[in-house]
Amino acid sequence: QVQLVESGGGLVQAGGSLRLSCAASESIFSFNVMGWYRQAPGKQRELVAGITRGGITNHADSVKGRFTISRDNAKNTVYLQMNSLKPEDTGVYYCNADTITITTRRTYWGQGTQVTVSS
């Protein structure tokens, strides 16, 4: 069973930075895409950023220029560097990994890490 373990969340003042880490229990080359999602209280979970096996990245408009997703294949870890944090970035951040074949799609989630940005 694949495990994704997030870390790095916490409480930070607006304008500050945090770096989230997502450590996978197996080689991240196993996954076609990995990403970070977040869920604020009373809101739906939304995609923050994604990165493909080949290193192509995508960031939500709301975080472009402030957040950067990256991966370290040797450490089986995906990161989310978050700069210039805003109160609206507050939420639980979840790591996601997808394995896609012609016949199947498997999705894995971490347990989440809380990010709180104070004004």
Side-chain angles (χ1 to χ4, degrees):
Q1 179 70 15
V2 173
Q3 289 188 329
L4 302 174
V5 179
E6 302 103 333
S7 60
L11 173 64
V12 64
Q13 288 188 333
S17 298
L18 286 173
R19 188 177 80 156
L20 305 183
S21 299
C22 171
S25 59
E26 63 182 62
S27 172
I28 59 176
F29 277 118
S30 301
F31 311 118
N32 297 81
V33 179
M34 296 189 72
W36 287 95
Y37 288 71
R38 68 185 178 192
Q39 187 165 20
K43 294 188 177 181
Q44 289 189 332
R45 192 173 297 189
E46 63 176 356
L47 175 66
V48 176
I51 186 166
T52 70
R53 180 185 291 150
I56 297 172
T57 62
N58 180 56
H59 297 79
D61 287 343
S62 60
V63 306
K64 279 182 181 176
R66 300 188 299 122
F67 292 11
T68 303
I69 189 171
S70 63
R71 57 192 289 159
D72 186 330
N73 296 326
K75 296 183 178 179
N76 293 325
T77 300
V78 173
Y79 302 99
L80 185 67
Q81 178 66 44
M82 306 187 295
N83 299 327
S84 301
L85 282 159
K86 303 176 181 179
E88 51 263 45
D89 295 318
T90 294
V92 180
Y93 283 69
Y94 296 91
C95 181
N96 166 271
D98 277 343
T99 300
I100 304 169
T101 69
I102 293 176
T103 57
T104 63
R105 178 177 182 174
R106 295 181 180 176
T107 299
Y108 305 96
W109 292 95
Q111 82 287 352
T113 185
Q114 177 70 45
V115 172
T116 303
V117 184
S118 63
S119 58

